[in-house]
């Protein structure tokens, strides 16, 4: 199919999930906090601990200072992003994941340039903020991302999941694969992975690789304390982490597809 290995990037928000991704055969992790909020900037302590524990995969750190789907950042928020970035880079980050938009949903080139400059040569992925931009200008926007210096683009093809947007992803990959790596992500599961890989012909894909039973999560990775005190959304939606076996299944599928 591809003539090269198809790499799996696993998004994680805990040390336990990071090691599950490594044990399952992932090629890289996207380190976040709060995946339940779509993934926010991770703590320096989490990154530093992984490095001290001899975690062997490249670690790309999310740069997202708050929740929300606008990705329109104030100067103060960008200052926080750049401050986090400096500390993460100094503590061993191998790359970063970032995206910023203008109020009209166009790409905020100025803020992106500032982040790319601060990366000091480390690769930066433009994340799914891309999926909020105008689909009619998708090729023009990818050209802008390439000009700015982004090495990868994470996208679901302007749809809620990569499975639904796979035809659009295939168009992006066919046109731009020589200059930027387009990574299908969002809703990628064992059950739809082969179709996504076949149609998109991607070189890399992105998943949380959580254990599921059909469409429902099976086993929580944290314990629920029985008490009258609530701490937020996790009291309703238990925390689930990356499953080593799901990672391994995905890697097995990708390996088989690579040899076709």
């Amino acid at each position: 199919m591809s003539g090269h290995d198809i790499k799996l990037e696993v998004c994680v928000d805990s040390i336990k999930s990071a090691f599950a991704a490594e044990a399952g055969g992932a090629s890289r992790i996207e380190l976040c906090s709060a995946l339940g909020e779509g993934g926010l900037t991770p703590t320096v302590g989490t990154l530093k601990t992984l490095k001290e524990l001899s975690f062997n995969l490249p670690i790309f750190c999310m740069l997202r200072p708050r929740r929300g789907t606008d990705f329109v950042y104030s100067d103060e928020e960008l200052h926080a992003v750049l401050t986090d970035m400096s500390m993460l880079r100094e503590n061993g980050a191998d790359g970063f994941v970032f995206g910023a938009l203008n109020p009209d949903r166009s790409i905020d080139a100025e803020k992106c340039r500032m982040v790319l400059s601060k990366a000091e040569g480390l690769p930066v992925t433009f994340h799914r903020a891309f999926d909020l931009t105008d689909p009619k200008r998708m090729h023009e926007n990818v050209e802008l991302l390439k000009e700015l210096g982004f090495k990868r683009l994470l996208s679901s093809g302007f749809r809620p999941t990569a499975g639904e947007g796979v035809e659009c992803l295939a168009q992006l990959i066919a046109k731009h694969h020589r200059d930027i790596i387009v990574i299908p992500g969002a809703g990628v599961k064992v059950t739809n992975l082969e179709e996504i890989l076949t149609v998109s012909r991607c070189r890399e894909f992105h998943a949380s690789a959580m254990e599921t039973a059909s469409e429902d999560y099976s086993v929580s990775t944290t314990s629920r304390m029985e008490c009258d005190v609530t701490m937020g959304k996790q009291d309703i939606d238990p925390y689930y982490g990356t499953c080593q076996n799901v990672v391994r299944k995905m890697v097995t599928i990708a390996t088989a597809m690579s040899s076709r």
Side-chain angles (χ1 to χ4, degrees):
M1 170 186 165
S2 60
H4 53 72
D5 292 338
I6 302 173
K7 297 179 179 180
L8 167 59
E9 174 186 78
V10 179
C11 55
V12 305
D13 63 0
S14 72
I15 292 170
K16 182 176 182 180
S17 287
F19 280 105
E22 181 180 39
S27 296
R28 181 177 65 249
I29 64 166
E30 176 192 272
L31 183 63
C32 309
S33 64
L35 278 179
E37 302 290 353
L40 304 179
T41 304
T43 69
V44 173
T46 300
L47 172 64
K48 188 174 181 180
T49 298
L50 285 171
K51 292 292 183 174
E52 289 173 350
L53 293 174
S54 299
F55 183 77
N56 292 315
L57 299 183
I59 302 174
F60 282 22
C61 293
M62 173 64 74
L63 298 172
R64 187 170 173 231
R66 59 165 169 81
R67 63 175 294 181
T69 58
D70 57 275
F71 301 106
V72 179
Y73 297 126
S74 66
D75 291 341
E76 293 80 8
E77 287 174 325
L78 184 65
H79 179 76
V81 166
L82 297 175
T83 301
D84 284 333
M85 192 177 191
S86 291
M87 293 188 291
L88 291 165
R89 189 186 64 246
E90 290 166 3
N91 283 277
D94 299 293
F96 297 99
V97 181
F98 177 74
L101 302 179
N102 295 306
D104 64 356
R105 299 196 299 175
S106 62
I107 293 168
D108 189 331
E110 181 181 355
K111 287 186 172 63
C112 288
R113 285 192 184 95
M114 294 175 71
V115 167
L116 286 158
S117 176
K118 197 76 168 182
E120 297 185 0
L122 293 178
V124 183
T125 300
F126 193 92
H127 60 44
R128 289 186 61 225
F130 182 81
D131 294 321
L132 277 69
T133 62
D134 184 355
K136 295 178 182 178
R137 301 182 64 182
M138 64 179 186
H139 294 302
E140 178 183 340
N141 283 332
V142 173
E143 292 294 341
L144 173 58
L145 295 179
K146 292 190 290 187
E147 176 187 328
L148 289 168
F150 286 96
K151 301 302 182 185
R152 291 174 174 82
L153 166 63
L154 175 64
S155 175
S156 60
F158 304 99
R159 300 297 300 276
T161 69
E164 296 170 277
V166 69
E167 295 290 346
C168 183
L169 290 167
Q171 294 177 41
L172 289 170
I173 290 168
K175 185 173 180 63
H176 302 285
H177 70 277
R178 291 182 179 85
D179 304 308
I180 191 169
I181 299 172
V182 178
I183 311 173
V188 177
K189 303 178 182 180
V190 171
T191 53
N192 64 10
L193 178 57
E194 184 171 347
E195 179 182 3
I196 290 171
L197 297 182
T198 300
V199 176
S200 72
R201 301 185 67 84
C202 62
R203 296 162 57 187
E204 301 182 6
F205 65 101
H206 173 100
S208 60
M210 295 180 183
E211 186 171 13
T212 61
S214 298
E215 298 297 323
D216 300 318
Y217 295 122
S218 54
V219 180
S220 173
T221 56
T222 60
S223 300
R224 183 184 292 245
M225 306 298 284
E226 296 298 333
C227 63
D228 294 330
V229 177
T230 61
M231 297 293 172
K233 187 179 178 182
Q234 72 272 20
D235 293 329
I236 301 172
D237 298 333
Y239 173 76
Y240 299 91
T242 297
C243 175
Q244 174 181 331
N245 290 334
V246 174
V247 175
R248 185 175 293 113
K249 288 176 184 177
M250 288 185 165
V251 171
T252 299
I253 292 169
T255 301
M257 298 294 287
S258 297
S259 63
R260 291 186 182 181

